[in-house]
Amino acid sequence: MIQWKLVLDFSSSSPDPAVFPYLDFQHCINQAIDIYKNDLFIYGTPRGLPSLIDVVQKQLTNYQVFAKKHSIFITSGIQQALSILAVIPFPNNRKTILIEQPGYHLFIESLEALQVPVLGIKRTSKGIDLAELERIFKEEEIKFFYTMPRYHNPLGTSYTQEEKKKILELAQRYHVFIVEDDYLADFEQNSKADPIYSYDDFTHVIYLKS
């Protein structure tokens, strides 16, 4: 059984002063430098700072994401995580990436730069055509489907739990992997709105969280 991973990033391309408490961040950074000193400026482990992974593992449970420490990787940003996933081989030995349209424009530009084959599926305020998704999964050589199920950028809409479960079901049936970008999970008001990852058996979903 393939054990899939989670990738976390702690960056923001356009931070909003009303959302991000800069003074608190500055205080924490200063405290960290005083306490950890040289440890902050040397090479760490390939997966990220172990003490941070410990904290992240506990925090992820708030989103119904339960993962072993060895399955958690920290990157410098979602873009870095996506670039890595776009070029590394997957168990299904496919290369084409399926994206929602409209979608995250920086990832689209990255795929063009990396010359990675890509297909699109239309997403509207009503979601995506699940029949069309199944056709693409069945007929095309899809490596993974990159999706923002919650608070999609730029539409701002979310999939229902039924849609999430159906997307996962199709992915499992046709051996397509899902890269789930859940960057705005912290703004969720519905405590029952779980990510796709929570329904998986650790074989088909890679969960990304900023």
Side-chain angles (χ1 to χ4, degrees):
M1 177 181 291
I2 302 299
Q3 293 293 314
W4 280 99
K5 315 297 182 183
L6 299 96
V7 184
L8 283 297
D9 93 280
F10 296 89
S11 67
S12 176
S13 58
S14 302
D16 183 347
V19 176
F20 295 94
Y22 293 114
L23 292 179
D24 290 342
F25 285 173
Q26 183 179 34
H27 172 73
C28 291
I29 291 172
N30 290 338
Q31 286 289 98
I33 292 174
D34 289 339
I35 295 172
Y36 298 105
K37 298 181 174 64
N38 291 338
D39 290 343
L40 294 177
F41 303 100
I42 60 176
Y43 288 112
T45 68
R47 298 202 328 268
L49 186 66
S51 59
L52 181 56
I53 289 177
D54 291 341
V55 174
V56 165
Q57 183 190 35
K58 296 176 182 177
Q59 184 182 23
L60 285 171
T61 62
N62 295 329
Y63 316 117
Q64 296 301 302
V65 173
F66 301 95
K68 302 292 185 181
K69 292 179 184 178
H70 68 265
S71 295
I72 300 175
F73 289 78
I74 297 174
T75 68
S76 62
I78 286 292
Q79 187 61 51
Q80 183 188 44
L82 288 172
S83 295
I84 293 171
L85 293 172
V87 298
I88 64 173
F90 271 39
N92 59 14
N93 295 316
R94 301 170 187 170
K95 295 183 178 180
T96 301
I97 294 173
L98 179 66
I99 61 173
E100 298 164 325
Q101 292 185 316
Y104 178 36
H105 70 283
L106 290 180
F107 184 41
I108 299 172
E109 293 171 7
S110 174
L111 292 174
E112 292 175 349
L114 294 169
Q115 297 184 328
V116 173
V118 58
L119 288 177
I121 183 169
K122 184 178 181 180
R123 179 166 175 176
T124 69
S125 59
K126 297 180 180 179
I128 59 174
D129 185 336
L130 292 173
E132 174 66 5
L133 183 67
E134 180 171 12
R135 184 197 67 77
I136 294 173
F137 281 1
K138 183 178 181 180
E139 297 180 3
E140 304 291 344
E141 292 293 310
I142 302 300
K143 176 181 179 179
F144 67 75
F145 173 38
Y146 170 66
T147 178
M148 290 183 182
R150 191 186 335 239
Y151 301 130
H152 177 269
N153 180 8
L155 296 175
T157 57
S158 301
Y159 289 135
T160 65
Q161 295 304 92
E162 291 73 20
E163 288 173 319
K164 293 176 186 178
K165 291 178 181 179
K166 183 61 177 181
I167 290 170
L168 176 60
E169 176 192 330
L170 293 174
Q172 292 173 336
R173 183 186 308 171
Y174 296 103
H175 200 28
V176 172
F177 296 92
I178 296 174
V179 174
E180 179 179 18
D181 190 346
D182 201 20
Y183 76 117
L184 288 182
D186 302 277
F187 292 91
E188 181 60 69
Q189 300 297 311
N190 182 2
S191 60
K192 298 185 182 298
D194 297 332
I196 298 176
Y197 183 91
S198 67
Y199 302 112
D200 191 30
D201 56 1
F202 306 105
T203 61
H204 283 81
V205 181
I206 301 172
Y207 182 83
L208 309 183
K209 176 71 180 74
S210 296

